[in-house]
Amino acid sequence: MGARRRDRSEGRALDLGWGADDDAALPPKASTATGASAAGAAGAADGPTGAAPGASRRGASRAPEVPGGKAGTRPRRAASRRRRVLAVGSALLLVLALTLGLPRLLSATTGPEQAATDFLQALVDGDLERVREHVEHAPDASGAALTSPILEAAGDRLESFTIDEVEVDGDTATVTVTLDNGSTTTTSRLPLAARDDGAFSPVRWELEPVQLPEFLLDVPLGVQEITVNGVRLPIADLNVEQNLYSPRVALQLLPGTYQVTLGDPGPWQEPVEVSLSAPPTLGTWRKPIEGAVPALSAEGRQEVQGQVDALPRDCPGTASTLSGDCPFALAGPEEPTADPSDPTGTWTLVDPIPVDSRGVDSFLWLLDGAGTAQFTPDDAASGAEDDAGDAPGLRSPVVLDAVAYVDFSGELRVQPSGQAGFSFAYCLDADTGAYIGIEMGSSTGAEGEAGASCETDLYGEVGAQ
């Protein structure tokens, strides 16, 4: 009998897919199998499926052998590769998320509140260059007055502000602010939008175009420029709305008080001066300034009074009426009517009539004045006097019935209105196209002197008194 030897082959640990060491060995164990049975047992131990002893080699289920490796290595490596792919994919997704999201995260320090604060601080500081970057370019209003010299001379400017609330809704935001000019506080809402230059650029919050207070000014005919806080602005550079008899100019102004002069058409007129107070508000706000017409200057009033004093002081009529071309009219509770039984005679002014004027436009004024006239019948005794030393007759209050106007040559003239009234046409300078005066008693088609043309559809009438 041959000597029996103990089977000292080492057992192998089963691979459970959790990265066990391939070289870990089990302690040797005794085997009672001999010959083929031992070999079969050894084969069963080596096989991953644990096939029964004596099974056919061809039909036995065995793990495929990998060159240079051992049974069970391929599943372990496949699992390892899946874990590596999963880790790499997760890392790539994280990088992508950071790439797309980090710019928005980084923009948090310059959000809508900061954007609104920067603009309002520029407004308080008078930084017009920065303010104009965010101001609305209104199609029907001019921003010509948004200059540093004009703002520096303004009163009641914006002094301070507070941020009351910030509402963010996706890529839009609204900032509610309180504005204070030292005497008045108002609340405004500033809309903003989030914008970027591309997928990898930081997001920035920008103000939507900011609306400013606007004034709509009636500009007298013939005015070629206006002055805002001492700065001249030509009418041709402004947004002018051509209305009949009164062109209009719409001006954007920053919060504050401004002194505006509506030109100086000539020596006979006082320039129109108005004070515009833009409230501390940012948003839709527009105020019309109407009825701005120049008054007669001191020189113009003196000239008119002299011409009125030179008008006829005697007017034919009856005891209840005056002739149609008389420069004054009888004043009474009722309009006088002709009475066939009234005697004819002459109305004579007792004293000169002091004159007041009311402007219609740059070139036309209605004249007002009151006095007393005395009626002397034609058959009154010549040279007779009453107890007061006056010529005998009826006395009645009278009112001045005349207009003053600047003609196409620039001269100031006085004309009685008369019972029939009169018509007039505005005259244009042939070279500049500017209105320069009036052709009285004329409709369209009149030709003036010194290169003036009254061929214009702009004309008017003064009715009978």
Side-chain angles (χ1 to χ4, degrees), residues 137-188:
H137 297 287
D140 57 347
S142 172
L146 303 180
T147 65
S148 295
I150 290 178
L151 182 61
E152 290 172 0
D156 300 324
R157 291 172 49 183
L158 185 65
E159 293 184 359
S160 62
F161 63 89
T162 57
I163 303 295
D164 300 329
E165 185 179 8
V166 179
E167 302 175 59
V168 179
D169 183 9
D171 288 340
T172 63
T174 301
V175 178
T176 303
V177 300
T178 297
L179 307 178
D180 187 356
N181 67 357
S183 60
T184 304
T185 59
T186 62
T187 299
S188 296

